Amino acid sequence: GSTSTTTLTRSSSSGSASGSATPTTSTSSNPDASVTTATPSVTGASDAPLPSQAALPPKQAWCPSEIFCAGKILQAINIAMPYADSKTIVDKPTNGTSQSVISTFNDLSSSGNNTLTYGEIVQFLQTSFQGEGLELDPTQLSNFPQSPAAFQNIEDPYVKGFTLEVHKIWNLLIRDTDESRVCQRSTCESSLIPLNHTFVVPGGRFREQYYWDSKFILEGLLKSELYSVANSTLQNFMDEIERFGFIPNGGRIYYLNRSQPPVFIGMVLSYYNATKDDATLERALPIMERELEWWSNNRSLSIVSPYTNQRVSVLLTYRLLLVGWLVDFPNAWPPHIFFALEALANVPSNVSQSPIPLAPNGNSWNLVPTNQLGLTEEKLPLQLLNGNNTAPQGQDINALNGTVVNGGNATTEEGWVRTLRREIANRYMTSVYCSWYATGGSIPGLLPRLPNETLALTQSTDQNGHLFEKFSALDVDSAGRGGEYAVQAGFGWTNGVLLWLASEYKEVLVRPTCPEITAESTGSGGGGGSNMGVVSAKVGSVWASVLLAVFIGIGLMV
């Protein structure tokens, strides 16, 4: 669909508990804090009837809305596909009461030959719904720290400058609920679960607070000294546990049938270690027990150990795939960076001081389960310095001067665990930095912005750099692609992991070497640069060791 832009202006400050953020009313100095509202488009002939529809699914108690949950209204809209993103419609509050919107739809569907047309759906959406996200206010903090201590001793000036630029992006992602726009039964209906405290959104289509995204966001907030926002994040989650018994996947009613990996206890621990806030811990302790009880009662499986014959309870959560491409391309997904580095940091000395673990027969491909990737080893891309990924396998480059490409600088007697931590940290820094630079990023007085002629090749004319949700496994300066929706910019967990990593690995991070952006390397102009710096999918012993070390570390932590 086409888009128009509505800029929100705060009319009042939301109420906040002790330790929550203090918003100001300034949005004019923050133009990127505008809300883009999609307008519906006719995807068929205006007077053409919608295709026949399947039988409606049964109603489910957890989502009773006749507008935003499974039912005839939502089904008809999804068949018409008036928006590029199917999430758009369920995030739009209604323009009128629930009953008035339902009646308008019923009048349409019962008129004429009882067949809705594409044009009627678009007209219905234009008159019956407001803009998505209008209940939320972009919030700037009156006391935003300009130069947090955690970033002051970063040794490389480019890494330090970039880190401070990422730190500023929090200002674009902090939100408060606008109580004056929250739907009441007498006014309108919305899928939003209103929150009582300030929070951080991931960005893009993810315009509400999310559970495990907030884990990685919080780690960055603490490094940024935004303790009040970190506190507010925890307060919101505690409110939700008290209300629902668990933390929903995200802040919408359509997420009330599921949670995400239970990271709340770890979030409280990280927050307390940074702040020693006894009052928040006192509130959190019984609530943490309540969440754990919910998982035990609703998302656990009782099994008998084949080794001890003892019955144990196992929590059922998302399976984190630590094999295959998600390890072979460790720069691709921010949560995996955090988990891998934390696991490696917990490898005990008797393991880390032993010889480097090797994969069976010295080939890491043997660690990948059969048919896990749906292709054979020889089909995997190679890592090449010249950007040509069709060269013979004999030209596969896994290491350069004792380290992987863009893996930082090797030191003597580093040890295999420290080597891997340095390489993973630098590889992630490379993906975030180079994709940001390729889309218009700059560092005042140090790194000039690319000219618009070059940025046009990455479709970033007049842009100022983007932080992406995921990264390409093939181009270190490009966003990821594919999946159920376009990769989003913002982006909460990317920023959080980057800031955490920049603080924890400040001594070993070096300025990334980004590929040159040319018309040839970008193809049609939709991506980043060349394949320089691609991590080889035919992993040598270095990346095989990452896999083994992660498993060792996680096993020890559990």
Side-chain angles (χ1 to χ4, degrees):
S2 58
T3 59
S4 59
T5 300
T6 302
T7 301
L8 302 181
T9 305
R10 290 190 59 84
S11 58
S12 61
S13 298
S14 301
S16 57
S18 175
S20 58
T22 304
T24 68
T25 57
S26 174
T27 57
S28 59
S29 61
N30 186 4
D32 291 327
S34 59
V35 175
T36 300
T37 298
T39 55
S41 299
V42 177
T43 55
S46 182
D47 59 352
L50 297 182
S52 60
Q53 303 180 24
L56 295 175
K59 289 188 177 295
Q60 300 187 29
W62 59 269
C63 196
S65 172
E66 294 186 49
I67 298 173
F68 298 112
C69 301
K72 60 183 181 181
I73 295 179
L74 192 56
Q75 180 166 292
I77 294 171
N78 284 334
I79 288 175
M81 294 189 295
Y83 301 109
D85 186 349
S86 61
K87 188 176 184 292
T88 299
I89 180 56
V90 290
D91 290 355
K92 285 180 172 287
T94 62
N95 187 23
T97 65
S98 304
Q99 191 54 53
S100 67
V101 172
I102 294 170
S103 296
T104 299
F105 181 84
N106 288 339
D107 290 342
L108 286 175
S109 60
S110 62
S111 62
N113 60 5
N114 200 36
T115 301
L116 286 168
T117 67
Y118 286 93
E120 287 174 331
I121 289 293
V122 168
Q123 183 180 13
F124 168 67
L125 294 171
Q126 289 173 333
T127 59
S128 298
F129 292 88
Q130 304 178 61
E132 62 274 19
L134 294 182
E135 311 103 317
L136 303 176
D137 274 347
T139 302
Q140 285 192 305
L141 306 182
S142 60
N143 54 348
F144 189 83
Q146 297 302 312
S147 187
F151 310 138
Q152 289 311 298
N153 295 323
I154 297 174
E155 295 185 0
D156 187 282
Y158 287 87
V159 172
K160 181 178 180 179
F162 172 57
T163 299
L164 290 173
E165 291 300 306
V166 174
H167 164 70
K168 298 174 186 176
I169 294 175
W170 291 131
N171 274 318
L172 309 182
L173 300 175
I174 298 173
R175 300 287 186 270
D176 274 289
T177 302
D178 185 344
E179 298 293 341
S180 68
R181 290 180 175 266
V182 172
C183 287
Q184 308 296 330
R185 288 188 177 182
S186 60
T187 58
C188 57
E189 181 181 346
S190 171
S191 66
L192 182 72
I193 299 174
L195 299 177
N196 297 320
H197 311 284
T198 303
F199 57 98
V200 178
V201 298
R205 74 198 293 263
F206 301 112
R207 54 184 66 88
E208 49 281 315
Q209 181 171 320
Y210 282 79
Y211 185 3
W212 87 315
D213 290 62
S214 296
K215 159 65 179 175
F216 311 106
I217 288 170
L218 180 132
E219 296 291 344
L221 290 174
L222 294 175
K223 297 299 184 183
S224 290
E225 298 177 3
L226 292 172
Y227 305 119
S228 62
V229 185
N231 178 282
S232 295
T233 299
L234 296 178
Q235 298 293 340
N236 283 325
F237 284 161
M238 287 188 276
D239 291 346
E240 289 188 322
I241 293 172
E242 289 183 332
R243 179 179 177 185
F244 303 116
F246 68 102
I247 300 172
N249 182 133
R252 298 277 173 179
I253 62 171
Y254 50 76
Y255 288 130
L256 286 174
N257 67 329
R258 63 187 188 269
S259 186
Q260 285 187 315
V263 294
F264 176 65
I265 294 175
M267 293 174 66
V268 174
L269 177 62
S270 294
Y271 173 78
Y272 184 78
N273 285 340
T275 65
K276 305 304 180 197
D277 182 349
D278 291 331
T280 297
L281 180 62
E282 183 177 1
R283 183 190 178 197
L285 284 172
I287 296 176
M288 289 190 290
E289 292 279 0
R290 183 172 176 183
E291 189 202 24
L292 184 60
E293 181 181 7
W294 183 90
W295 276 89
S296 179
N297 292 338
N298 297 279
R299 297 293 189 275
S300 67
L301 181 67
S302 181
I303 63 173
V304 176
S305 169
Y307 304 103
T308 65
N309 287 324
Q310 293 181 335
R311 184 167 293 278
V312 295
S313 181
V314 180
L315 296 182
L316 300 177
T317 182
Y318 291 81
R319 183 179 70 152
L320 295 178
L321 181 62
L322 294 175
V323 295
W325 276 355
L326 292 182
V327 166
D328 295 345
F329 301 118
N331 51 305
W333 207 43
H336 278 215
I337 297 298
F338 182 86
F339 289 139
L341 289 174
E342 284 290 86
L344 285 167
N346 283 274
V347 174
S349 59
N350 66 312
V351 176
S352 63
Q353 294 174 7
S354 299
I356 187 169
L358 295 177
N361 301 322
N363 185 350
S364 62
W365 180 255
N366 296 329
L367 296 171
V368 181
T370 303
N371 296 323
Q372 175 76 57
L373 301 179
L375 61 150
T376 56
E377 181 179 4
E378 61 270 15
K379 297 292 186 181
L380 297 173
L382 304 176
Q383 170 177 294
L384 301 163
L385 295 180
N386 62 5
N388 175 14
N389 65 353
T390 62
Q393 290 211 10
Q395 298 183 29
D396 192 18
I397 306 299
N398 281 307
L400 182 67
N401 297 329
T403 187
V404 298
V405 178
N406 270 321
N409 297 321
T411 58
T412 58
E413 300 182 358
E414 191 175 35
W416 67 269
V417 170
R418 287 185 178 273
T419 297
L420 292 174
R421 293 170 69 186
R422 168 180 53 76
E423 291 174 347
I424 294 173
N426 275 280
R427 289 289 309 182
Y428 181 69
M429 177 63 70
T430 298
S431 280
V432 184
Y433 175 96
C434 290
S435 56
W436 166 83
Y437 180 58
T439 54
S442 63
I443 303 172
L446 193 62
L447 180 70
R449 181 177 172 274
L450 290 168
N452 269 339
E453 308 88 78
T454 302
L455 293 176
L457 298 174
T458 63
Q459 299 181 346
S460 304
T461 303
D462 295 327
Q463 301 299 301
N464 294 306
H466 297 295
L467 278 292
F468 294 108
E469 171 194 12
K470 303 165 189 169
F471 299 93
S472 171
L474 300 178
D475 300 297
V476 297
D477 62 348
S478 176
R481 39 199 179 264
E484 67 172 295
Y485 57 85
V487 169
Q488 304 296 293
F491 192 84
W493 68 16
T494 300
N495 307 359
V497 172
L498 187 286
L499 296 172
W500 169 83
L501 180 148
S503 173
E504 294 294 316
Y505 292 86
K506 60 174 70 74
E507 298 87 359
V508 300
L509 294 172
V510 298
R511 180 187 180 183
T513 300
C514 301
E516 182 181 2
I517 301 173
T518 65
E520 181 181 5
S521 67
T522 56
S524 62
S530 73
N531 285 332
M532 173 183 169
V534 173
V535 177
S536 171
K538 187 186 177 197
V539 188
S541 60
V542 171
W543 292 114
S545 302
V546 173
L547 178 65
L548 293 174
V550 168
F551 282 144
I552 292 169
I554 290 179
L556 290 167
M557 288 191 291
V558 173

